[in-house]
Amino acid sequence: MADLPGKPTAASRTTLSHIMTQADVNLLGTVHGGVIMKLVDDAAGAVAGRHSGGPAVTASMDEMVFLEPVKVGDLVHVHAQVNWTGRTSMEIGVKVLAERWNESTPATRVGTAYLVFAAVDESGRPRAVPPVVPDNDRDRRRFQEAQIRRTHRLARRREIMELRKRPL
């Protein structure tokens, strides 16, 4: 496989915004976590497709953290960017903010998530992705943090597979 030229972090950064309606709420009157997770996956998927230059599929979602409830009428902004790339996979970091649609108060961070996407070809097989080139110190820190999360994901998978080989 030929080496692909790197792409800067900013090249695929994406923001999706959505007003939460009554159709999005749970029995407590706040927005379903699954609705927020869908927005997170949509934004991350757009970033992964942009960065990789084609289709990419969700391989995993790590550390989806809900920090504050989201209410009907909130304008939710989902910011996503590539944090790290491997040969065929990418970690996408996502920050979720919410603000009242009719107020001019600052948006509140309501969630964060890290997703891993795999770039695929027409047959669904993995394909190479360009390396991400961090734009600044914050992006370099995010790249390093993503490497730590990857190391932990792989170690967890190895330990689980070893455990499954052992008799109970």
Side-chain angles (χ1 to χ4, degrees), residues 60-73:
S60 71
M61 177 184 268
D62 289 352
E63 301 177 32
M64 179 71 215
V65 177
F66 297 100
L67 303 167
E68 298 284 337
V70 177
K71 302 175 191 87
V72 169

Side-chain angles (χ1 to χ4, degrees), residues 104-115:
S104 57
T105 56
T108 301
R109 184 181 284 220
V110 296
T112 60
Y114 300 100
L115 297 87

Side-chain angles (χ1 to χ4, degrees), residues 33-153:
V35 170
I36 302 299
M37 290 171 75
K38 169 82 166 79
L39 294 172
V40 163
D41 192 49
D42 287 346
V47 167
R50 276 182 165 182
H51 183 83
S52 70
V57 296
T58 310
S60 71
M61 177 184 268
D62 289 352
E63 301 177 32
M64 179 71 215
V65 177
F66 297 100
L67 303 167
E68 298 284 337
V70 177
K71 302 175 191 87
V72 169
D74 282 354
L75 179 57
V76 173
H77 308 286
V78 183
H79 304 283
Q81 74 171 52
V82 176
N83 288 337
W84 174 90
T85 53
R87 193 176 61 77
T88 62
S89 63
M90 304 156 272
E91 183 194 90
I92 313 298
V94 182
K95 175 173 63 172
V96 184
L97 304 173
E99 62 181 313
R100 297 304 298 166
W101 68 273
N102 59 347
E103 297 175 10
S104 57
T105 56
T108 301
R109 184 181 284 220
V110 296
T112 60
Y114 300 100
L115 297 87
V116 176
F117 275 75
V120 295
D121 64 16
E122 313 79 43
S123 303
R125 289 186 296 263
R127 63 180 175 80
V129 299
V132 66
V133 180
D135 291 321
N136 53 47
D137 286 343
R138 184 172 62 205
D139 291 342
R140 283 184 277 284
R141 176 188 50 79
R142 292 171 68 111
F143 184 91
Q144 291 171 340
E145 290 171 357
Q147 288 178 306
I148 293 168
R149 283 186 292 275
R150 179 175 187 273
T151 299
H152 287 217
R153 277 191 297 272

